Amino acid sequence: MKKPTPFLLLASLFSGTTALAQKPSAEANAVKQTVTAFFDGMRRGDSTAVRRTLAPAAVFHAFGGQPGQPPTLQIESISGFLKAVGSPHPEIWDERVQFERVLIDANLASVWAPYEFYLGSKFSHCGYDSFQLVKLADGWKIAHIIDTRRKEKCR
């Protein structure tokens, strides 16, 4: 029997890996569902739905700043955010994310997602969201969110 060439071995290895990498796992889908539920609740102005997606002691950060100024890192108040979500506002808060990357190890997940934010139908800003999630007894919960915010160089 003839030995396979190194090229054939590499081709078969990468073709199998590619097929597996393209199919999202059930865990990756569950992580995405948690993030989607967060933004669906925000769109509806439903702070209770948003709160259900958060782990106890979750932390929010914003990273950005004014044009021409050095960027700053700001801690955002979870209770203030939830109050703002649940308070009536004239326009729907519509953050449109794309799941660029979901990484999972055991009960820890990381999501990297470019987004565009709209107030109603009017573009407001864009950037990237980075989510850290933990899998607790009742499922995947958001433990940390940090994002960038800008009005230029959007997709």
Side-chain angles (χ1 to χ4, degrees):
M1 184 165 162
K2 191 175 180 180
K3 287 185 178 180
T5 65
F7 173 76
L8 288 176
L9 287 174
L10 284 173
S12 65
L13 176 67
F14 286 118
S15 66
T17 303
T18 302
L20 290 175
Q22 290 177 347
K23 183 178 180 190
S25 71
E27 289 297 329
N29 286 334
V31 166
K32 289 177 183 180
Q33 286 174 353
T34 299
V35 173
T36 299
F38 175 88
F39 289 119
D40 286 347
M42 194 171 78
R43 262 183 228 93
R44 291 190 313 267
D46 185 345
S47 59
T48 301
V50 172
R51 183 184 305 273
R52 279 194 297 266
T53 68
L54 302 177
V59 177
F60 290 1
H61 280 102
F63 186 68
Q66 301 299 321
Q69 299 293 318
T72 60
L73 181 64
Q74 300 171 340
I75 295 176
E76 293 197 7
S77 161
I78 301 283
S79 60
F81 173 76
L82 292 171
K83 183 177 179 183
V85 165
S87 297
H89 36 275
E91 301 289 346
I92 292 173
W93 295 357
D94 184 11
E95 189 153 341
R96 302 173 188 176
V97 299
Q98 295 179 0
F99 293 98
E100 191 168 291
R101 181 163 283 182
V102 177
L103 303 171
I104 300 173
D105 181 54
N107 295 324
L108 176 67
S110 180
V111 175
W112 184 251
Y115 76 88
E116 292 180 343
F117 188 88
Y118 292 82
L119 291 171
S121 60
K122 184 180 178 193
F123 174 79
S124 173
H125 61 277
C126 67
Y128 273 81
D129 289 326
S130 176
F131 294 88
Q132 302 302 307
L133 294 91
V134 291
K135 189 172 185 184
L136 303 175
D138 56 345
W140 287 101
K141 302 294 178 182
I142 299 167
H144 182 240
I145 302 172
I146 186 167
D147 62 53
T148 60
R149 298 175 188 176
R150 63 183 175 274
K151 292 189 180 285
E152 301 150 350
K153 297 184 184 175
C154 297
R155 299 175 131 233

